[in-house]
Amino acid sequence: MGKTLKKVLVAVGLAGLAGYVAGLLTAPQSGKETRADLKEAAARGMTEGERQLKEAVSELGDLTDQLRRRAAELGDKAGKEAAELADKARQARDKAREVLSAIHEGDAEDKDLQTAIKQANDALKHLKAYLQK
């Protein structure tokens, strides 16, 4: 999936969620029902973020392995650069895994999830760019 398409899909999803929340807040229902609906919407958002992070972790693992193989084939300087990049990607993957564990334990917040997704996507972008050289 292209970077632009991903951005469009995320924007559409966020706009849809914002519309849903606005509808909930203006709907003629009790506060208890509204809170339950908001909690459900937040859970769906967290589930979607978790799915995105799991995909990024999987892709990071695959690309890191690919980069390590390439690093072994390269000369000293280029191989060292590739190995350093692979280590940074591994660190981003490990951090993402920590956040996923925290989500399952109920210790992660939405901002933690969003930060981990951004870091994992940044690492993926750098790996892909390097591997296309």
Side-chain angles (χ1 to χ4, degrees):
M1 190 179 312
K3 184 168 58 171
T4 304
L5 180 58
K6 280 186 180 180
K7 287 182 180 180
V8 169
L9 291 175
V10 169
V12 168
L14 290 175
L17 181 60
Y20 178 74
V21 170
L24 285 176
L25 294 174
T26 59
Q29 58 186 8
S30 72
K32 185 176 182 179
E33 291 171 327
T34 299
R35 285 189 299 277
D37 286 348
L38 286 172
K39 187 175 181 178
E40 182 182 318
R44 279 196 307 268
M46 190 68 115
T47 300
E48 175 58 24
E50 184 179 358
R51 184 193 61 75
Q52 289 178 5
L53 190 55
K54 283 179 181 178
E55 287 178 6
V57 165
S58 176
E59 191 173 358
L60 272 171
D62 294 343
L63 291 177
T64 300
D65 291 344
Q66 185 179 348
L67 183 59
R68 288 202 183 279
R69 285 191 300 275
R70 182 176 283 181
E73 298 169 1
L74 297 172
D76 289 338
K77 184 177 180 182
K80 183 178 178 182
E81 180 183 322
E84 288 173 1
L85 182 58
D87 285 340
K88 288 179 183 179
R90 183 192 49 77
Q91 290 171 3
R93 186 192 67 206
D94 291 347
K95 174 64 176 168
R97 284 181 173 165
E98 289 175 19
V99 171
L100 286 170
S101 291
I103 288 169
H104 289 284
E105 294 171 7
D107 294 335
E109 296 181 9
D110 186 53
K111 67 178 182 170
D112 299 327
L113 180 60
Q114 296 305 318
T115 299
I117 291 171
K118 182 185 180 325
Q119 290 172 343
N121 284 334
D122 287 348
L124 283 170
K125 183 177 96 176
H126 291 300
L127 280 174
K128 288 177 182 178
Y130 187 86
L131 289 169
Q132 288 178 354
K133 286 183 184 181

